[in-house]
Amino acid sequence: MRFVCLTLGLLCFVGGVNAQNSYQENKVIDTLKEQNIRSGRVASPSISASKLIDQSNLQLDGLVNENVWINIPIATLFTQRSPNDGAPATQRTEARILYTDSHVYIGFKAYDSAPDSIIAPLFRRDGTETSDWVTVGFDSYNDKRTAFIFAVNPRGVQRDFMIINDTNEDATWDAVWEAKAQITDYGWSAEMKIPLSQLRFDSKANEQRWGINFQRSIARSGEEIFWKPTSQNASGIVSNFGELSGIKQLSEPRRLEIMPYVSADFTRIPERPTSDPYYQRNDLSGRVGADIKYGITSDLTLSATINPDFGQVEADPAVINLTANENFYSERRPFFLEGRDIFQFGQTKTFIRYNVPTPFYSRRIGRSPQGSPGRAGVNAEYNTVPDLTTIATAAKLSGKTKNGWSIGLMDAYTLQENADYTLGNGNDGSIAVEPATNYLVSRAKKDFNKGNTYLGGFATAVNRSLDGRYFEDFMHSSAYVGGVDYEHQFDDQNWVASGALSASSVHGSNEAIVRTQRSPVRYYDRIDSDVLSVDPSKTALQGFSTEMSIKKQGGDDNWLAALTYSQTSPGYEVNDLGFQTRADLKWVGGVVIYREIDPKYVRYYDFFIGYDSGWNYDGDQIRNSIMNGGSVSFNNQWSFNYNFGYNFKQYYDRISRGGPVLERPKDWNLISNLNTDRSKDISFNIGGNLRREVAGEYDNAVWLGVNYRPTTFIQLSFGPEYRHQVDVDQYITAVSDVNATHTYENRYVFSDIEQHTLSANLRLNWTFSPTMSLQTYFRPYVATGDFSRFKEVAEPYTYNYDVYGEDIGNITDQNGIYTIDPDGNGSSSSFSIADPDFNFRSLQGNAVFRWEYTPGSTLYFVWQQQREDYSRVGAFDLGDQLNDLFNAKPTNVFLIKLSYWFGS
């Protein structure tokens, strides 16, 4: 026997511990260590890595049975985070660490008293299926805030992500590493081989001092256990890591990765009779490009993409938008997803917020062209406009230095896009529909006070090559945003104070700036505003936005809370490279949460109550709401949650789109969800939404999600949703009329609308191995809108309307055109509006075959289908809708993409 120092704090013991130790033989050791930890004599566990001299002595097969794993330090004595916070783990887990000059090896042995009950599905890498897992996290910066996380399940499925700012997960981070796992007679085991080039550390140090933690998930019981205890009451994750020592004399890893790709796609659109010279039913095209990563220093990495291709990315879901603001779509493109956490700015740590602008929204880069021949004054008979703007190149510099600086710098350049057109006289031409544009984003943060405090800065710049063309009528020539933020944790990280302040400045022609002033984000032309007015002489617009919060985020007293104040001035504008739906806002909100992490009869429950209030710069109260809700997790791993909100008297300052402020009728809203145990072969969730308003509006919605796992390698999910709603204040148009003195010489026309929406998400995933999978996705979507009772605003600051043909005037319908005489035989002129009824049907299909044929290198086969149909009918008939949906002619896209990773 030999002395083994399993360096758990100061504890050193005689063990002769090796890979053959049984669960019972280690109970004595665990008892000794538990006594030390529970008594407080050991503040933080630590483990020493052992050097692997000859890599040929270790075969990566997931069995952890080679001699090199014997007689080295073992991390054991895991502690529950859930369901019984602080209790010892119910199953034994062991973790060991080896290292070479180029790799770190992790060996896990996950003992299980019922190996046949291990939840071990096979699915695509980075998937979210319920499964058992073992996980290791490295704080190789040793900054208590940043960690690189690697996980593997019993089938060898890999998952990796980063933790930023101690608690925020960045699931988009992908590393190139290897793992194998095996189910055994004692449970299961796993081996990981992680290149040091995928981590960031100080290679000049003689011995590495890293933070580390191990985690195991046992799906059938919902048990989450950690080597370094990480209580649900703890406010941080990385700051609660243990210690890793023993890695010595590492040289700087070669961090150069090049991944060229080649792709080809074939598009087939529906056949139609047309004389359009640009119509091509079949289109074949190809692309080549590359992604590059280079470690400039041990701290900073340069990532670049040349002519990127995103053909394998799932399409955005179809929606109907009846508001004045644009839709928000999540980023799905890999280059812009990876490392995006470092560029996040403008939001504080809180439990409650309202309508805070997002200064950086990466989907602005490569957006659909904003111009067209018609917008340029060209009356083209036919034209062809590209779907997206070409990204010529984009590059990112990111990392964290040894002295606590986090740095992010990204620059992207998009090319000018042109549209070909032909005039009625047969003449052809070409015109630019999107100017060449440069996008720049920069971010820096400095940690202080052992990672408990940071100060940061943020800046973006957009510069367009307008060159005196028609773009100047509606585009900014340049747009800039700059800001600072801070965060300070105190009282043993149980409290955090945070804040952000930014300013914007956009520049352009008089016409472009007037358009910005009139936009739905701010409505400087709002007819009853005493503060705002359009200035047609401006060639620039400036503003600021701020958010400040104080939050109780941890502690042993069961209470959490947050108080947040935000303000956005009318002139603040970030939509050139950000996302913003409104300015002109002052808002405050607070919430108090009570939680029990170890209650008597259930696993967990919480309850919250909150209130928020907001005003525009004219002092109109546009938010006045109370909310409460809660959630409970049962012992059988079912869960339930609800949210209830009640809106007191408040006002709409956007609903008339530059018209008068109107009162918002009082209403209440209830949302609830029930979820069953996801570890079962069949699980489901069901939920609903009810809203009722004193003016007669209502929303009824119900949704269902079913997940079925017929085998370990097939997962099927089906999620239908039906919504029926009636609104009595749908904006239609504004008509100038000097007789409408009660509404500032304009008639603001509204209507009732009854909407039906039916959609469903169907996914079937078939995984052949941890590196080969087929994922399919189908989404039918039907939306109808039936407009009725056309009316006009009767009085500002109320919700009173005069209905045409009932209260005032008359209305006639002829061939889908409504003619309205607002005052009968009076002196006001009649006006007409087209029947706005709609019936929209869409079917989206997507299938992606993915094969990672060697680590980091991937082959894709992709099929996408889109069917759409639209008619001016507001009635909803499910049978007719589905029949028309499948009768719509499809557009099919087939793509093949091959990439190869060169790296170490």
Side-chain angles (χ1 to χ4, degrees):
M1 299 180 67
R2 60 185 293 266
F3 285 93
V4 178
C5 182
L6 202 165
T7 54
L8 184 67
L10 301 177
L11 178 64
C12 193
F13 58 89
V14 178
V17 182
N18 57 50
Q20 281 70 47
N21 279 342
S22 70
Y23 182 78
Q24 292 298 325
E25 288 171 342
N26 281 285
K27 290 293 269 184
V28 175
I29 298 171
D30 284 354
T31 301
L32 291 172
K33 291 188 293 179
E34 183 173 358
Q35 291 173 353
N36 281 272
I37 288 179
R38 308 301 178 199
S39 66
R41 290 196 294 269
V42 177
S44 180
S46 64
I47 188 171
S48 178
S50 300
K51 189 161 188 177
L52 176 62
I53 304 301
D54 186 355
Q55 294 188 50
S56 64
N57 291 328
L58 195 157
Q59 181 181 356
L60 197 72
D61 55 11
L63 290 176
V64 198
N65 58 358
E66 293 86 355
N67 290 333
V68 294
W69 293 117
I70 299 175
N71 296 331
I72 65 173
I74 310 172
T76 186
L77 185 63
F78 283 58
T79 302
Q80 292 188 47
R81 176 183 174 92
S82 64
N84 302 310
D85 197 4
T90 63
Q91 306 288 342
R92 178 177 176 80
T93 307
E94 298 177 354
R96 299 165 168 84
I97 305 179
L98 295 167
Y99 77 97
T100 67
D101 292 335
S102 59
H103 291 82
V104 175
Y105 294 84
I106 311 296
F108 279 100
K109 301 193 78 172
Y111 291 88
D112 199 303
S113 56
D116 57 344
S117 299
I118 293 171
I119 306 298
L122 184 62
F123 51 96
R124 178 173 164 172
R125 174 176 170 161
D126 291 324
T128 57
E129 295 296 323
T130 299
S131 175
D132 282 29
W133 293 93
V134 289
T135 303
V136 61
F138 295 103
D139 174 14
S140 53
Y141 285 121
N142 201 24
D143 63 356
K144 312 297 183 185
R145 299 183 66 85
T146 310
F148 304 91
I149 311 296
F150 304 86
V152 64
N153 88 338
R155 299 288 179 187
V157 177
Q158 297 172 235
R159 185 168 66 185
D160 50 30
F161 57 93
M162 285 185 67
I163 297 179
I164 309 292
N165 294 334
D166 200 10
T167 57
N168 300 337
E169 288 189 8
D170 179 6
T172 64
W173 178 74
D174 280 319
V176 179
W177 56 290
E178 299 176 68
K180 297 290 184 180
Q182 297 275 357
I183 296 177
T184 67
D185 56 356
Y186 61 80
W188 65 286
S189 59
E191 292 175 314
M192 301 179 181
K193 180 182 180 182
I194 303 169
L196 289 169
S197 62
Q198 304 300 298
L199 304 176
R200 304 293 179 264
F201 56 90
D202 180 10
S203 60
K204 297 179 181 179
N206 181 58
E207 181 176 357
Q208 301 296 317
R209 292 286 179 176
W210 296 351
I212 192 170
N213 209 351
F214 304 100
Q215 179 186 357
R216 179 180 174 189
S217 304
I218 305 174
R220 68 179 182 275
S221 61
E223 189 171 333
E224 297 289 339
I225 60 175
F226 287 81
W227 173 61
K228 166 64 191 299
T230 306
S231 170
Q232 294 182 46
N233 284 325
S235 57
I237 299 297
V238 184
S239 56
N240 282 287
F241 275 21
E243 299 175 359
L244 172 64
S245 61
I247 300 179
K248 300 178 181 180
Q249 297 177 343
L250 292 181
S251 58
E252 180 74 28
R254 178 178 176 268
R255 293 197 294 122
L256 174 62
E257 303 174 26
I258 303 175
M259 189 166 65
Y261 81 86
V262 58
S263 70
D265 63 89
F266 173 75
T267 302
R268 184 176 177 84
I269 64 176
E271 184 176 8
R272 65 177 189 266
T274 179
S275 56
D276 184 350
Y278 304 113
Y279 169 77
Q280 286 185 308
R281 189 178 185 199
N282 302 311
D283 181 59
L284 179 65
S285 62
R287 299 169 67 94
V288 293
D291 294 334
I292 303 170
K293 288 185 180 181
Y294 176 62
I296 297 177
T297 68
S298 61
D299 306 318
L300 300 175
T301 300
L302 176 66
S303 303
T305 184
I306 302 170
N307 195 28
D309 175 75
F310 306 114
Q312 75 275 16
V313 175
E314 191 172 281
D316 294 319
V319 294
I320 289 290
N321 183 0
L322 299 179
T323 72
N325 295 110
E326 62 182 320
N327 292 320
F328 179 90
Y329 292 106
S330 299
E331 179 62 86
R332 300 170 185 267
R333 301 170 296 178
F335 176 81
F336 295 104
L337 281 172
E338 186 175 359
R340 65 177 176 175
D341 222 56
I342 198 170
F343 294 102
Q344 290 184 357
F345 172 85
Q347 295 188 344
T348 60
K349 284 196 170 180
T350 183
F351 295 120
I352 184 170
R353 64 169 38 92
Y354 175 71
N355 222 311
V356 178
T358 302
F360 176 47
Y361 177 49
S362 57
R363 292 203 51 159
R364 300 297 185 198
I365 303 172
R367 65 188 303 168
S368 298
Q370 302 169 76
S372 66
R375 201 163 192 173
V378 177
N379 186 22
E381 183 176 9
Y382 299 105
N383 66 78
T384 175
V385 177
D387 293 329
L388 299 171
T389 303
T390 302
I391 303 172
T393 184
K396 290 186 293 188
L397 178 67
S398 61
K400 188 163 188 176
T401 66
K402 293 180 289 294
N403 55 5
W405 279 100
S406 297
I407 296 172
L409 181 67
M410 185 176 75
D411 190 81
Y413 184 75
T414 60
L415 301 177
Q416 174 178 298
E417 292 294 342
N418 299 309
D420 295 327
Y421 64 85
T422 180
L423 303 176
N425 57 14
N427 292 329
D428 298 335
S430 179
I431 192 167
V433 291
E434 181 74 18
T437 307
N438 194 83
Y439 301 89
L440 177 68
V441 186
S442 60
R443 182 75 163 113
K445 293 193 300 183
K446 178 67 169 70
D447 292 347
F448 302 93
N449 188 25
K450 297 180 179 179
N452 289 314
T453 306
Y454 80 72
L455 296 175
F458 176 85
T460 68
V462 178
N463 289 278
R464 297 186 174 94
S465 302
L466 302 185
D467 300 329
R469 296 169 292 180
Y470 74 103
F471 296 124
E472 291 189 343
D473 294 339
F474 59 94
M475 283 188 180
H476 301 139
S477 57
S478 59
Y480 306 102
V481 177
V484 294
D485 61 349
Y486 69 90
E487 180 183 306
H488 175 62
Q489 298 184 96
F490 56 98
D491 187 26
D492 197 25
Q493 298 183 339
N494 291 322
W495 287 81
V496 58
S498 54
L501 172 66
S502 62
S504 70
S505 181
V506 295
H507 305 262
S509 66
N510 300 125
E511 294 82 0
I513 300 303
V514 165
R515 181 175 178 270
T516 303
Q517 293 176 75
R518 294 178 180 272
S519 80
V521 173
R522 53 192 53 80
Y523 287 125
Y524 269 42
D525 56 340
R526 201 178 74 231
I527 204 160
D528 57 358
S529 175
D530 296 326
V531 174
L532 304 178
S533 61
V534 175
D535 184 347
S537 66
K538 281 182 173 292
T539 57
L541 189 67
Q542 288 84 27
F544 75 91
S545 181
T546 186
E547 183 178 84
M548 296 175 287
S549 297
I550 181 75
K551 174 185 176 184
K552 185 179 186 296
Q553 61 183 1
D556 296 326
D557 57 1
N558 297 334
W559 290 96
L560 306 175
L563 179 65
T564 299
Y565 174 79
S566 64
Q567 182 173 345
T568 303
S569 73
Y572 189 73
E573 170 62 35
V574 298
N575 275 321
D576 290 272
L577 190 49
F579 189 90
Q580 177 184 6
T581 58
R582 76 160 294 149
D584 183 23
L585 175 66
K586 301 174 183 178
W587 176 89
V588 63
V591 65
V592 176
I593 303 170
Y594 179 81
R595 63 175 183 172
E596 283 282 357
I597 63 175
D598 191 20
K600 187 173 182 179
Y601 299 108
V602 296
R603 287 195 170 194
Y604 172 90
Y605 72 83
D606 61 34
F607 176 85
F608 73 86
I609 186 168
Y611 173 77
D612 77 315
S613 186
W615 303 263
N616 62 22
Y617 270 56
D618 278 281
D620 304 312
Q621 188 169 20
I622 59 176
R623 288 285 295 176
N624 185 19
S625 306
I626 191 170
M627 65 212 74
N628 85 301
S631 65
V632 57
S633 178
F634 301 100
N635 291 329
N636 63 356
Q637 296 204 74
W638 286 41
S639 64
F640 173 78
N641 66 77
Y642 80 94
N643 285 278
F644 175 82
Y646 184 84
N647 291 303
F648 300 101
K649 184 177 181 179
Q650 55 189 280
Y651 295 93
Y652 291 117
D653 64 344
R654 294 290 190 266
I655 193 170
S656 59
R657 306 191 185 184
V661 173
L662 303 179
E663 183 179 346
R664 173 176 176 171
K666 300 180 181 69
D667 71 336
W668 59 265
N669 187 71
L670 174 66
I671 301 174
S672 62
N673 287 280
L674 175 68
N675 303 276
T676 69
D677 183 356
R678 288 292 302 272
S679 70
K680 304 298 184 182
D681 289 342
I682 299 179
S683 63
F684 67 88
N685 71 282
I686 186 170
N689 176 37
L690 289 176
R691 186 177 78 90
R692 294 295 183 269
E693 187 183 89
V694 297
E697 290 192 356
Y698 63 84
D699 287 356
N700 298 320
V702 62
W703 50 83
L704 173 69
V706 179
N707 299 283
Y708 177 46
R709 191 171 60 239
T711 72
T712 59
F713 55 87
I714 295 177
Q715 297 88 37
L716 175 67
S717 65
F718 178 59
E721 177 178 350
Y722 171 70
R723 181 177 296 273
H724 177 215
Q725 65 186 85
V726 171
D727 296 324
V728 300
D729 51 11
Q730 177 60 51
Y731 177 83
I732 301 298
T733 189
V735 178
S736 178
D737 188 338
V738 295
N739 295 323
T741 56
H742 59 295
T743 50
Y744 308 95
E745 299 185 352
N746 285 281
R747 298 189 184 275
Y748 294 93
V749 183
F750 286 75
S751 79
D752 292 1
I753 178 175
E754 181 177 11
Q755 295 183 77
H756 297 266
T757 304
L758 177 65
S759 64
N761 295 315
L762 176 62
R763 295 183 183 274
L764 174 62
N765 298 332
W766 189 313
T767 308
F768 308 101
S769 74
T771 59
M772 184 183 295
S773 62
L774 174 65
Q775 293 184 300
T776 62
Y777 165 71
F778 294 93
R779 182 179 186 263
Y781 175 83
V782 175
T784 65
D786 187 6
F787 293 76
S788 62
R789 301 186 74 238
F790 294 89
K791 50 197 170 182
E792 66 176 50
V793 174
E795 182 182 358
Y797 286 93
T798 70
Y799 54 88
N800 298 330
Y801 296 91
D802 288 329
V803 180
Y804 297 124
E806 296 180 15
D807 301 317
I808 60 171
N810 55 69
I811 180 170
T812 60
D813 177 14
Q814 186 174 9
N815 298 324
I817 301 296
Y818 289 100
T819 300
I820 298 170
D821 185 348
D823 60 355
N825 296 322
S827 58
S828 295
S829 300
S830 299
F831 59 91
S832 298
I833 58 175
D835 184 353
D837 288 356
F838 64 85
N839 191 317
F840 177 75
R841 301 169 290 275
S842 168
L843 177 62
Q844 294 173 297
N846 192 75
V848 178
F849 173 82
R850 179 184 183 273
W851 176 31
E852 188 174 353
Y853 56 93
T854 188
S857 304
T858 311
L859 173 66
Y860 288 98
F861 288 101
V862 181
W863 165 73
Q864 294 179 342
Q865 185 181 98
Q866 177 77 49
R867 298 172 185 254
E868 286 187 359
D869 193 23
Y870 183 88
S871 62
R872 287 291 185 183
V873 179
F876 179 82
D877 183 285
L878 180 59
D880 290 343
Q881 308 298 332
L882 295 178
N883 184 63
D884 292 340
L885 176 62
F886 287 97
N887 284 337
K889 295 181 179 180
T891 295
N892 289 285
V893 178
F894 302 90
L895 175 138
I896 181 172
K897 180 179 179 180
L898 178 69
S899 64
Y900 189 84
W901 181 79
F902 295 92
S904 59

